[in-house]
């Protein structure tokens, strides 16, 4: 009964829940603005976004947030929810038209450079590793303000990392399906290295702050940390498999759409190179190109009577 009562303690973290609430309000307003138009946000995308917000809420306000200060492996679950899975769901839930009003603000538009894969990946990796340095990690556990900053970094940089891969912003011309495959492998390798350090590091890195919790839950420091590393690697494996499936289906779909555009252009007598069709499809503008092709070439001027 004592353990159940202990688990019943939720976590009220206004510094962390306030941005979550604001994000939900802004998203709902954006969805309402586009409703009834050709740019309306699909139900599947909305479900994805709200699921991401819900996972963050659960990680912060449920017993997970409470026990995360007592056990490393529970803290790892919290971090994976708010820094990896939830950001992926958030990115899958947004569209270009939803982001358009924000991107009209000059200083926000300039931040788009952060979503370049060559920037997003190292920034995310730096945040991940810095916050797992014992000094930084332990201070986050001890101080609510630092903890809020840590979680904000995980959400923001995690979202930006996935935005570079699956987000609606334009991608560099070189970032095709093979480059995306390499990106996914790099993300998972970075996470796997940290997971292996936690499993095979040879010592407990965070025992100073987790000793009381490990004593309460009757677990050893090494077992606690090893479980955290294992959870990180298993979660990464499942996400990687899912993303590989997505890349395969995307490549097949893009190939079919590209060929359909080429065939349509040939039937309508419209000049269209395969490279241009590939760029349009990769940027998600295949429908726009189809509409222009269906408009057909300009009518020739009438000849003499």
């Amino acid at each position: 009964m004592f353990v159940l009562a202990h688990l019943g303690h939720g976590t009220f973290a206004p510094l962390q829940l306030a941005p979550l609430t604001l994000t939900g309000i802004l998203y709902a307003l954006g969805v309402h603005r586009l409703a009834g138009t050709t740019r309306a946000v699909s139900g599947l995308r909305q479900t994805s976004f709200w699921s991401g917000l819900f996972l963050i809420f659960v990680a912060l306000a449920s017993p997970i947030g409470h026990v995360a200060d007592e056990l490393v492996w529970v803290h790892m679950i919290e971090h994976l929810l708010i820094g990896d899975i939830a950001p992926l769901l958030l990115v899958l839930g947004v569209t270009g038209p939803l982001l358009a009003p924000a991107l009209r603000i000059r200083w926000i538009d300039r931040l788009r450079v952060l979503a370049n894969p060559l920037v997003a990946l190292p920034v995310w990796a730096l945040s991940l590793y810095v916050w797992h340095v014992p000094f930084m990690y332990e201070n986050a556990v001890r101080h609510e303000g630092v903890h809020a900053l840590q979680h904000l970094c995980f959400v923001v940089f995690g979202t930006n990392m996935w935005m570079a891969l699956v987000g609606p912003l334009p991608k560099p011309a070189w970032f095709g399906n093979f480059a995306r495959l390499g990106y996914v492998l790099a993300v998972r390798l970075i996470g796997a290295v940290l997971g292996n350090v936690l499993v095979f590091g040879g010592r407990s890195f965070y025992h100073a702050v987790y000793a009381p919790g490990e004593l309460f839950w009757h677990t050893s420091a090494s077992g606690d940390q090893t479980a955290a590393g294992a959870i990180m690697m298993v979660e990464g494996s499942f996400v990687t498999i899912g993303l590989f499936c997505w890349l395969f289906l995307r490549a097949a779909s893009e190939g079919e759409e590209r060929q359909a555009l080429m065939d349509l252009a040939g039937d309508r007598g419209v000049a269209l190179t395969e490279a241009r069709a590939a760029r349009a499809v990769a940027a998600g503008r295949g429908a726009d190109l189809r509409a222009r092709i269906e408009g057909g070439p300009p009518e020739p001027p009438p000849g003499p009577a």
Side-chain angles (χ1 to χ4, degrees):
M1 292 298 294
F2 176 70
V3 172
L4 290 177
H6 184 76
L7 284 174
H9 290 178
T11 300
F12 179 64
L15 284 176
Q16 303 182 59
L17 295 179
L20 188 69
T21 303
L22 178 61
T23 301
I25 292 173
L26 292 176
Y27 184 80
L29 291 174
V31 169
H32 178 73
R33 174 176 57 85
L34 297 173
T37 71
T38 57
R39 300 175 298 166
V41 184
S42 69
L44 185 60
R45 286 190 179 274
Q46 292 185 51
T47 299
S48 178
F49 190 90
W50 291 117
S51 297
L53 286 187
F54 179 72
L55 283 182
I56 296 175
F57 175 80
V58 168
L60 297 178
S62 74
I64 292 176
H66 172 57
V67 183
D69 293 338
E70 302 173 345
L71 293 172
V72 183
W73 70 266
V74 179
H75 209 161
M76 179 59 71
I77 291 176
E78 180 187 62
H79 286 178
L80 292 174
L81 288 175
I82 68 174
D84 199 28
I85 299 175
L88 178 57
L89 292 172
L90 293 177
V91 172
L92 292 174
V94 299
T95 63
L98 269 175
L99 297 177
L103 295 176
R104 294 191 190 104
I105 302 172
R106 181 174 300 178
W107 69 269
I108 293 181
D109 183 62
R110 289 176 177 173
L111 294 177
R112 288 172 59 173
V113 67
L114 296 176
N116 185 295
L118 296 179
V119 178
L121 182 61
V123 168
W124 168 78
L126 180 64
S127 171
L128 178 69
Y129 277 83
V130 166
W131 281 113
H132 281 87
V133 171
F135 172 80
M136 299 292 291
Y137 191 102
E138 292 173 358
N139 272 281
V141 174
R142 291 190 176 106
H143 307 289
E144 179 60 30
V146 180
H147 206 179
L149 177 61
Q150 181 194 52
H151 287 172
L152 180 64
C153 288
F154 286 158
V155 174
V156 170
F157 295 130
T159 299
N160 186 59
M161 181 269 292
W162 290 127
M163 182 68 73
L165 180 69
V166 299
L169 296 179
K171 306 293 187 293
W174 57 266
F175 198 58
N177 287 320
F178 282 111
R180 292 169 192 255
L181 176 63
Y183 188 92
V184 171
L185 290 174
V187 169
R188 296 286 56 113
L189 178 61
I190 291 168
V193 169
L194 179 58
N196 275 276
V197 168
L198 295 177
V199 173
F200 303 110
R203 68 183 183 88
S204 176
F205 298 108
Y206 315 119
H207 185 61
V209 290
Y210 284 111
E214 289 163 349
L215 180 63
F216 176 83
W217 291 104
H218 306 290
T219 187
S220 66
S222 61
D224 186 18
Q225 183 172 292
T226 298
I231 288 171
M232 186 176 195
M233 289 189 286
V234 170
E235 183 269 348
S237 298
F238 278 110
V239 173
T240 300
I241 292 171
L243 288 172
F244 281 175
C245 292
W246 172 79
L247 283 171
F248 175 80
L249 294 174
R250 173 189 171 87
S253 175
E254 286 184 354
E256 292 178 0
E257 186 177 8
R258 182 172 62 251
Q259 187 58 50
L261 289 171
M262 294 296 296
D263 293 343
L264 178 63
D267 293 341
R268 297 299 178 93
V270 176
L272 177 66
T273 65
E274 188 168 351
R276 182 187 175 194
R279 286 196 302 270
V281 171
R285 304 300 297 271
D288 294 339
L289 181 56
R290 172 178 287 275
R292 289 197 293 272
I293 294 172
E294 289 175 343
E299 292 292 333

